[in-house]
Amino acid sequence: MQQDLAIFNYLAEKLLEAEKQQPVVKPIPAEELYETLDISLSNEPTNEASFKEALEQLILNTPRTATKLFFNQLFGGRNPKATLGDLLAVLLNNSMYTYKVAGPQVGIEKEIIKKVCELVGYNADSDGTFPTGGSMSNYMAMVMARDAKNPDTKYKGVTQKMIAYTSAESHYSTSKNATFCGIGREQVRHIAVNQYGQIEPQALSQAIKKDINLGHTPFFVNATAGTTVLGAFDAIEQLLEICKEHNLWLHVDGAYCGSVIFSKKYKHLVAGLEKVDSFSFNAHKMLGTPLTCSILVTKHKKQLRDSFSNDAAYLYQTDGDDYNLGKTSLQCGRRNDALKFWTLWKSVGTIGLESYVDKQFELAETARDYLKSNSDYTLYSFDNSISVCFNYKGIPAQKLCTLLYEHAEIMVGFGSFNDTEFVRMVTINYGNSSEDILHFFKTLESFVAKQPIFFDTEVFQDN
Ligand SMILES: *Cc1c(COP(=O)(O)O)cnc(C)c1O
């Protein structure tokens, strides 16, 4: 092992240096991948030197998500304390299903869940788990909602037309999850949003009534805290009333921006959260832990158990259910996703996490201020969002983003709202400074200035 740890240290140094020198790696076209890198596997072993060389080339040619020019997805940067925690989790290689096998790591996970429940405002009847990501958190919430509506479902399967509601701007996992738990995609209603990308409570209410009149069984409403494109927050309080009236489970998908629970300044964006049935957020998004680190909490500890526990004499041989976390998880063997979040939280405290969240909103404000002050840009996103959506000189966003990627200038993606496509820059890397944000725009502008052939702006403005 020591020998491989030495290789690890060598490669880590190389990577950190390369990230500084070249924040965006030149992409290898997918069709040239196998000719460019030594990836193929063979019958014979590889000698140590060529093994190390192959690994080095692989690592140096992999997209760099921790640098100051990565704005492509809803994660970015590298928190050293969280990375340390994850490296140790790999080294320890426990499975989180039982206390016998995971020991104090169980306590780590339970401590985080307890603290998160407190922050949400749940009482002692609450509990939670670490699913494998935001999509799976949403899935587990949907399963609990289905079973809460009709406990027989666990044994008999879905026998009614059960209907789920989510906004047109919500994450695609809701539809996918409906297929997994026997609800079916056609039973997911995508409710209209207002101009800010928030679900329209009136439209939701009408849709529910219509389904009831048709004899269907509404059971689940998914609200979003930070929609994937615009970063919009659905108004939870209004949805609570509707859910109460019709006895529906309300889940808040906070995968992207649910971490606002750590911020005194931004917690108001999820006002009413303590009354929702379940809530999830991804620490690997706003809080910068390595992928994946998703936390699902519910007000109904019993429902979590009822939906996910299964007796297994060969597995649960010691200790009470409260310490055998396999009783509340989807899978059996489960990776330790808690330790990296604990090392982070332990080291910077709750106020440290709060400062990370606040910083991202400040960076977004810096970006929006810059865009508003420069008439070459059109801004599409709103205050209280860390998704900064814009177009530059009328250049089609997809074309701009692709060229920036191919030329190894910037990693940034595009999205659309109301049929307008735009660049979506996400200020989720709290390691960035205002200067880094301005550097992003300068890099983009000088790239465009260098590409007169690609960017005949007159032509685009005519479109
Ligand atoms: C990222 C995201 C998800 C999915 O989370 P994964 O961890 O990628 O599965 C779900 N909902 C929203 C709003 C997201 O932004």
Side-chain angles (χ1 to χ4, degrees), residues 298-414:
T298 172
K299 198 160 74 170
H300 314 285
K301 178 176 181 152
K302 185 171 178 305
Q303 189 59 56
L304 183 65
R305 248 147 249 278
D306 285 353
S307 289
F308 294 99
S309 73
N310 212 94
D311 279 330
Y314 57 83
L315 184 63
Y316 303 112
Q317 298 178 337
T318 69
D319 308 292
D321 275 1
D322 268 352
Y323 284 81
N324 287 330
L325 301 179
K327 296 269 177 167
T328 50
S329 68
L330 189 62
Q331 68 273 56
C332 178
R334 186 165 59 94
R335 186 179 195 284
N336 180 359
D337 283 335
L339 185 57
K340 57 191 159 196
F341 189 20
W342 184 86
T343 47
L344 169 61
W345 198 337
K346 184 80 175 166
S347 66
V348 301
T350 311
I351 58 168
L353 301 179
E354 174 173 40
S355 72
Y356 295 165
V357 171
D358 291 354
K359 176 79 173 291
Q360 292 163 58
F361 283 100
E362 279 162 30
L363 293 176
E365 218 164 291
T366 303
R368 279 192 303 267
D369 285 347
Y370 180 79
L371 298 177
K372 284 180 199 161
S373 72
N374 187 328
S375 61
D376 285 337
Y377 289 96
T378 317
L379 177 66
Y380 299 96
S381 48
F382 311 101
D383 290 353
N384 287 334
S385 161
I386 63 166
S387 290
V388 182
C389 303
F390 66 87
N391 275 323
Y392 179 60
K393 291 189 169 177
I395 301 167
Q398 179 168 354
K399 179 161 191 165
L400 180 57
C401 294
T402 305
L403 286 167
L404 286 166
Y405 159 68
E406 285 171 355
H407 290 254
E409 294 276 342
I410 297 174
M411 293 280 279
V412 67
F414 53 90

Side-chain angles (χ1 to χ4, degrees), residues 107-160:
I108 296 287
E109 182 162 317
K110 283 171 68 72
E111 174 67 9
I112 293 172
I113 287 166
K114 189 180 110 209
K115 279 285 193 195
V116 168
C117 286
E118 281 171 19
L119 281 166
V120 167
Y122 282 164
N123 66 22
D125 291 331
S126 57
D127 199 1
T129 183
F130 280 64
T132 50
S135 303
M136 279 298 115
S137 285
N138 293 346
Y139 176 64
M140 290 182 74
M142 189 182 272
V143 170
M144 286 191 285
R146 184 198 68 183
D147 296 350
K149 187 54 125 184
N150 185 356
D152 275 353
T153 312
K154 257 183 93 166
Y155 304 96
K156 301 198 190 313
V158 178
T159 54
Q160 301 148 295

Side-chain angles (χ1 to χ4, degrees), residues 74 133-136 138 171 173 224 226 228 253 255-256 282 284-285:
L74 308 181
S135 303
M136 279 298 115
N138 293 346
H171 190 257
S173 53
T224 310
T228 311
D253 171 9
Y256 181 13
N282 281 354
H284 70 251
K285 287 185 172 170

